[in-house]
Amino acid sequence: MLLMTREACPWCRKFERVVLNDDIVKQRLAQEVVVVIVDKNLDKTHFPSKKYKSFFSPKGFFISPSNEKVLLEMNGYVKKEDFINELDKVKSKMNK
């Protein structure tokens, strides 16, 4: 999962603090995906911004490790329950 954030983004900080720090979410992420968090303003030279465009913050891209295609995009802040549903969708797509 590529998570694009911005330094001055309160929704990004809330997502990191509330959702990513939840014990269930941390366990799922550790078992199912690799998480890369990028500041879209500070890290412009370190990721392919043309391939992964972000007009929202935070923005998540769940990317297939086999072909680098985007399986699912997540726009803006999502609640923990909704994020877990997104993880379920990605897991289902990966198992096909």
Side-chain angles (χ1 to χ4, degrees):
M1 178 180 94
L2 173 63
L3 180 63
M4 296 176 66
T5 66
R6 288 183 302 116
E7 185 175 3
C9 170
W11 291 107
C12 299
R13 300 298 80 77
K14 183 175 181 179
F15 182 75
E16 292 167 351
R17 186 179 68 250
V18 175
V19 179
L20 294 183
N21 278 324
D22 177 80
D23 288 337
I24 294 169
V25 171
K26 284 197 293 191
Q27 181 181 15
R28 293 272 315 259
L29 290 174
Q31 293 174 351
E32 298 171 21
V33 300
V34 174
V35 180
V36 177
I37 300 175
V38 177
D39 185 304
K40 69 180 192 175
N41 294 330
L42 298 177
D43 299 321
K44 288 183 181 181
T45 60
H46 295 98
F47 71 94
S49 61
K50 290 180 178 155
K51 187 172 184 177
Y52 305 109
K53 294 186 185 212
S54 170
F55 301 104
F56 300 96
S57 294
K59 176 144 184 169
F61 296 92
F62 291 91
I63 303 164
S64 169
S66 61
N67 60 18
E68 296 184 11
K69 289 188 178 184
V70 175
L71 299 172
L72 188 107
E73 291 184 30
M74 180 186 72
N75 291 308
Y77 176 82
V78 295
K79 295 178 184 176
K80 176 185 84 167
E81 295 79 14
D82 296 330
F83 185 73
I84 290 171
N85 287 336
E86 299 294 287
L87 288 174
D88 291 340
K89 289 178 192 175
V90 169
K91 188 174 183 178
S92 174
K93 287 183 179 188
M94 293 293 291
N95 291 332
K96 287 184 178 181

